[in-house]
Amino acid sequence: MNDISANQVTPPRIRRRQTLALVLLVVTGVINYLDRATLAVANEYIRADLDLSLGQMGLLLSAFSWSYALCQLPVGALVDKIGPRWLLGMGLVLWSLAQAAGGMVSTFGWFVLARIVLGIGEAPQFPAAARVVSNWFPLRARGTPTGVYNSASPLGVALAPICLTPLIMATSWHWAFFVTGALGLVAAVVWVALYRDPVRERLSDAERAYLDEGQSTEAAPKTSFASWRALFRHRATWGMLLGFFGSVYLNWVYLTWLPGYLRTERHMDLAQAGFAASIPFLCGFAGALVAGWASDRVTRHAESPVTGRRKAVVASMLGMVAFTIPAALVESNTVAVACISIVIFLANASSACSWSLATAVAPRSRIASLGAIQNFGGFLGGALAPILTGYIAQSWSFVPALLTGAGIAFLGAMSYQFLVVRPIPEQN
C-alpha cells in the first residue's frame, strides 16, 4: 500500500491550525480530567466531612458518569450539526460552574446533583475533539493527533493528586473545586476566541487536497436524525459501544478508586498514596502519545485503516487484562503500582486507538456521532465501575473488584475483534 500521508507535506497554514487546535484540546482536556479527578483525590476528606460510607462514595463517584454517558448520544449529533467551537465552549462554562458548585455543597444529595451537571457539561469534550481532528487531519494521519488530545486524560489525572493534595492540606477540600472551576471558565473564553473550523472556500487547492487525501472528495450529506439512528443498524457500532464499555470500565476502576485503594487496601499514608497514584497516570500520558503514533504506523501498512486501528485496540485491552491480575494478587506495593502503571499505559493507548478507530469506521458526516455512541457505551461502564467496585470492596475486598474489571475488559476486547470489521457506508 502506498504511504501517501507519510510523504505528503503539510501546508504551512494547515500545520499552524493543527498545532493550535491540539494545544487547545490538550489544555481543555487536562482541565476536564482535573475536574473529574478532584472527587477521587479528596475522597477521604469528603467521606469524613459528609459522613459517607464506601457504598455512598461509589454512588457519588458514579453520578458524573451516568449523565455524561446519556448526554453522549445527543451531543455527538449536535457536534456534527453545530460544530465543535460553540458546543465545547458552552460545555466548558457549564461544567466549570458545576465544578465550583461542588465546593459549596454540604449534603450528599446536592453533591450528587453537582456531579450530574458536571457530566452534562463535560459531554462535548471528546466528540468535539474527534470532529476537530477529522476536520484538520487526513484520514491516515489521525492516530497521532488523536493520541495527543487523549493524552490530556491521564495527564489531568496524574496532575490532580500532585497539584490538589497540597492545596487540600493547606486549605480544605472545598478550594480544590473552586480553583479548578475557575480554570475552566478561563479556558472557555480562550477556546471560543481562538478555535475555528476549516472553511473550504478559503483553502488553496493544495490545502484541500491534503485534507481530502484518502477519502471521497464529494461533499458529505447533511446530518439528520434518520442518518444518526441508522448507525445502530451496523454491527460495527455495537462492537465499538460494547468494546469501549469494557475498556472504560477497567480504566475507571483505577481512575475513581486508586487513591482510596492505596489508602484502604495497601495501607499507604496520604502523601505516599498521592505520589503513588500519580505514577500510573503519567505512564498513561505516555501511552496515549505512543499509541497514536504507533497506530498511524500500523495503519499505513495494514490492509485497511479499520483493521490496523482495531488490532491496536484489541492488543492494548488484552494487555490491560493480563497486568490487572497480578496487580490484584501480589503482596508488594511496589510491584502492584508497577503493574497498575502498565495497565493505565495500555488503557490510554486503547482509548486513543478507539477514538482514531471511530474516525476510520464512521461515515464522514457522522464522525462525532459514532465517536459519541462509542463513548456512551464506555461511560455506561464508567458509571458502573465505581458503584460495583465500592460495593464489592465493602462486602469482600478490592481483589475481586479488580478481577471483575479484568473480566469485563476481556469481553470488551472480543467485541472489538469480532464485530468491528469494516467501515460504515455513508447514508444519503
Side-chain angles (χ1 to χ4, degrees):
M1 181 174 294
N2 292 332
D3 190 354
I4 301 172
S5 294
N7 297 323
Q8 187 172 358
V9 176
T10 306
R13 186 167 59 160
I14 297 291
R15 171 75 70 184
R16 289 193 296 271
R17 288 293 181 177
Q18 289 174 339
T19 302
L20 175 63
L22 288 178
V23 168
L24 293 174
L25 288 175
V26 169
V27 170
T28 57
V30 166
I31 295 171
N32 184 296
Y33 266 79
L34 274 174
D35 291 354
R36 299 187 198 193
T38 303
L39 181 59
V41 174
N43 185 325
E44 192 173 4
Y45 290 92
I46 294 170
R47 279 171 50 202
D49 200 7
L50 302 185
D51 193 25
L52 304 179
S53 68
L54 282 173
Q56 286 178 307
M57 179 53 73
L59 288 170
L60 183 55
L61 286 164
S62 76
F64 162 89
S65 295
W66 289 111
S67 59
Y68 182 87
L70 291 172
C71 285
Q72 288 301 299
L73 299 178
V75 159
L78 287 171
V79 169
D80 281 325
K81 192 171 186 64
I82 298 172
R85 182 188 174 211
W86 288 108
L87 212 60
L88 180 53
M90 291 185 290
L92 271 160
V93 171
L94 180 61
W95 97 52
S96 299
L97 293 174
Q99 175 73 353
M104 302 177 187
V105 300
S106 58
T107 66
F108 175 71
W110 281 111
F111 215 149
V112 168
L113 180 60
R115 297 295 288 185
I116 288 172
V117 178
L118 181 72
I120 296 170
E122 291 200 357
Q125 175 74 40
F126 287 90
R131 184 81 250 178
V132 169
V133 166
S134 69
N135 285 346
W136 284 109
F137 292 85
L139 180 60
R140 287 187 179 271
R142 290 175 185 168
T144 299
T146 301
V148 169
Y149 78 70
N150 267 276
S151 71
S153 307
L155 182 59
V157 179
L159 290 175
I162 296 171
C163 298
L164 299 181
T165 299
L167 177 62
I168 292 169
M169 294 176 70
T171 56
S172 71
W173 63 265
H174 305 273
W175 277 98
F177 288 85
F178 297 151
V179 170
T180 50
L183 285 174
L185 292 174
V186 173
V189 174
V190 175
W191 168 260
V192 172
L194 297 183
Y195 177 75
R196 297 293 186 276
D197 285 326
V199 179
R200 292 191 64 83
E201 292 76 14
R202 298 178 185 173
L203 300 177
S204 68
D205 290 342
E207 290 169 340
R208 283 195 292 270
Y210 169 79
L211 293 177
D212 290 337
E213 187 273 310
Q215 59 190 351
S216 171
T217 56
E218 294 181 7
K222 291 183 179 180
T223 59
S224 67
F225 178 72
S227 63
W228 174 86
R229 187 177 57 187
L231 291 172
F232 288 95
R233 295 203 295 262
H234 299 272
R235 68 176 186 171
T237 300
W238 290 101
M240 294 172 71
L241 188 155
L242 295 171
F244 212 46
F245 179 99
S247 176
V248 175
Y249 181 97
L250 184 53
N251 196 15
W252 269 67
V253 169
Y254 296 108
L255 180 64
T256 55
W257 278 109
L258 184 55
Y261 165 71
L262 295 175
R263 294 275 287 146
T264 304
E265 190 86 7
R266 296 284 173 178
H267 309 296
M268 295 184 181
D269 62 32
L270 183 62
Q272 288 177 318
F275 176 73
S278 69
I279 294 172
F281 293 101
L282 288 172
C283 293
F285 172 68
L289 294 176
V290 170
W293 171 82
S295 175
D296 278 343
R297 300 282 294 184
V298 170
T299 299
R300 286 170 189 155
H301 300 286
E303 60 186 82
S304 73
V306 172
T307 300
R309 299 201 189 281
R310 185 192 69 235
K311 286 180 178 178
V313 173
V314 173
S316 298
M317 290 182 66
L318 292 178
M320 292 167 63
V321 173
F323 282 94
T324 289
I325 296 170
L329 299 177
V330 297
E331 293 185 6
S332 168
N333 286 352
T334 302
V335 174
V337 171
C339 289
I340 292 169
S341 297
I342 295 171
V343 174
I344 301 301
F345 177 96
L346 293 170
N348 285 278
S350 170
S351 179
C353 293
S354 296
W355 279 99
S356 61
L357 176 63
T359 69
V361 173
R364 286 182 65 193
S365 65
R366 283 299 175 188
I367 288 172
S369 296
L370 184 62
I373 290 170
Q374 177 178 245
N375 213 25
F376 165 73
F379 277 85
L380 288 181
L384 181 62
I387 298 176
L388 191 56
T389 301
Y391 278 104
I392 292 175
Q394 185 172 283
S395 302
W396 294 282
S397 75
F398 277 99
V399 173
L402 292 178
L403 295 178
T404 298
I408 291 172
F410 176 79
L411 294 176
M414 294 302 98
S415 297
Y416 274 118
Q417 177 65 29
F418 295 110
L419 296 178
V420 187
V421 295
R422 61 180 60 90
I424 297 171
E426 189 71 74
Q427 303 291 321
N428 293 317

